[in-house]
Amino acid sequence: MEMKQLIAMVTVAEVESVTRAAQLLHLVQPAVTRQIKTLEDELGVVLFERTRHGMVLTSAGEVFLSHARRALQELERARSELTPVPGEVSGLVSVGVLESLLDLIVPALVDAVAEKLPGVQLHLLSGVSRHLNEWLDDGIVDVALLYNVSDTTAMRVQPLLNELLWAVAPPSAGLLSPEQGTWERVLREPLILPTVGHSMRTLIDKARADIPLEPKIIVETNSLNIQKQMVMAGRGWTILPAAGVARDIQQGKLSGAPLSEPSVSRSVVIGLPRTARIPRAVEAVAAELLQVSRRLVLSGEWPSATLMGTASP
């Protein structure tokens, strides 16, 4: 098994096309096909189904993909750690970020790392909390921002902050204060909500359980961006964490207010694997995550959020 085979397999899985993978890898298509076939022969399994719509991973391919990604990541990390700039923290760090925090956290984190940790290469992955938990357990990410989780045998968490969920509406609704964002008012509007099973939907359903109004759900989606776009188009209201809509409200694209009667909050934490050795670069990026989040809360850029534990002033 060779590194070039793993790279070919991961690239084909990501773009679902041998032709496109060959272009990205600057190889001819038969070379990529040969690397995949050699890998399948060595493993004794079929990794891809060749369909009219592209290359689709088999169940065996799904399993092998996570191991291949981890192996390539570890090789890249080893290369970075073995050839550091003297006196400089360096290495590859994969950070998992909740989709609802991307707009607020990522630009500030990238700027902070570029300024303070120029030897660190960031890999940023977004997903729902459940997937980020799995990626942290599997070593696909080194550190993650998660919510409503606590320490496990495989993961240690550092409490970061609590933030309120907001009622989010088109600008014409003029939501400005908690008095305007009551559950009774929200539940009388057409709603765009996360799909059943999504951790945010579970939080929403639990909070409204004692309110004698059934929601008028017009769309369910696992995409925060779809929720926001439909509200901007005037199709309905939604419920989101403050961080996910703060800048849209500031820019006048949406209006919003903290949910009230009752209010609902979620805790955001930094998750790290519970291992004997965490690379210096990972520890340094985790520290920057803490500092960036703390600054955003104290400056008011992260509305209706309160710091917890060691993140507190």
Side-chain angles (χ1 to χ4, degrees):
M1 190 178 301
E2 299 179 9
M3 185 174 177
K4 64 183 180 181
Q5 294 169 345
L6 299 183
I7 293 172
M9 187 270 175
V10 170
T11 305
V12 171
E14 289 176 347
V15 301
E16 299 181 345
S17 165
V18 172
T19 302
R20 179 61 179 147
Q23 293 171 346
L24 293 172
L25 297 172
H26 304 290
L27 297 171
V28 295
Q29 183 175 334
V32 175
T33 300
R34 186 166 56 251
Q35 288 167 0
I36 298 296
K37 183 64 168 62
T38 302
L39 188 57
E40 288 179 326
D41 289 344
E42 182 175 344
L43 293 170
V45 297
V46 176
L47 298 173
F48 293 95
E49 291 180 5
R50 285 75 172 171
T51 74
R52 290 183 302 168
H53 304 292
M55 300 287 281
V56 179
L57 285 167
T58 63
S59 56
E62 293 277 5
V63 171
F64 187 74
L65 176 63
S66 64
H67 292 286
R69 280 178 170 156
R70 185 172 182 178
L72 291 173
Q73 182 173 300
E74 289 301 318
L75 287 170
E76 181 61 33
R77 178 174 291 116
R79 181 184 293 112
S80 298
E81 292 185 8
L82 290 173
T83 57
V85 176
E88 185 177 89
V89 176
S90 62
L92 173 70
V93 180
S94 291
V95 181
V97 184
L98 294 160
E99 186 187 10
S100 56
L101 302 182
L102 287 176
D103 291 348
L104 196 61
I105 284 287
V106 168
L109 178 64
V110 169
D111 288 346
V113 170
E115 178 185 351
K116 300 177 184 179
L117 304 168
V120 171
Q121 179 185 353
L122 283 179
H123 279 189
L124 297 168
L125 299 176
S126 69
V128 298
S129 195
R130 175 171 56 86
H131 291 155
L132 295 179
N133 269 287
E134 293 172 357
W135 295 345
L136 197 61
D137 288 344
D138 293 341
I140 294 172
V141 298
D142 304 302
V143 57
L145 286 172
L146 308 165
Y147 74 88
N148 290 359
V149 297
S150 54
D151 284 343
T152 69
T153 55
M155 176 181 65
R156 61 181 175 89
V157 304
Q158 180 173 357
L160 188 57
L161 56 88
N162 281 313
E163 69 167 337
L164 296 176
L165 298 192
W166 280 35
V168 181
S172 58
L175 291 183
L176 296 171
S177 65
E179 292 76 17
Q180 296 172 307
T182 64
W183 277 97
E184 183 174 352
R185 182 177 181 188
V186 170
L187 292 175
R188 294 185 187 281
E189 300 291 337
L191 293 175
I192 301 100
L193 293 182
T195 52
V196 173
H198 190 291
S199 49
M200 185 61 63
R201 176 64 179 273
T202 301
L203 191 60
I204 291 168
D205 287 345
K206 183 178 179 181
R208 69 167 186 83
D210 295 329
I211 301 171
L213 284 173
E214 282 298 313
K216 297 181 288 185
I217 302 171
I218 58 170
V219 172
E220 295 178 309
T221 175
N222 64 352
S223 167
L224 176 145
N225 189 53
I226 290 176
Q227 286 178 259
K228 293 199 296 185
Q229 291 300 322
M230 290 199 66
V231 175
M232 288 177 191
R235 302 292 181 83
W237 290 26
T238 192
I239 297 169
L240 287 169
V245 292
R247 293 185 177 174
D248 298 296
I249 291 172
Q250 185 180 27
Q251 294 167 5
K253 297 177 181 178
L254 295 168
S255 66
L259 272 169
S260 61
E261 301 179 17
S263 62
V264 187
S265 66
R266 68 172 184 175
S267 61
V268 178
V269 304
I270 296 174
L272 287 161
R274 194 182 290 279
T275 58
R277 176 183 177 273
I278 294 179
R280 285 180 62 206
V282 174
E283 292 280 13
V285 169
E288 286 305 319
L289 267 176
L290 174 64
Q291 292 304 315
V292 163
S293 301
R294 186 176 185 274
R295 175 174 58 77
L296 290 169
V297 172
L298 295 177
S299 69
E301 294 175 76
W302 196 325
S304 67
T306 54
L307 295 168
M308 300 163 54
T310 56
S312 299

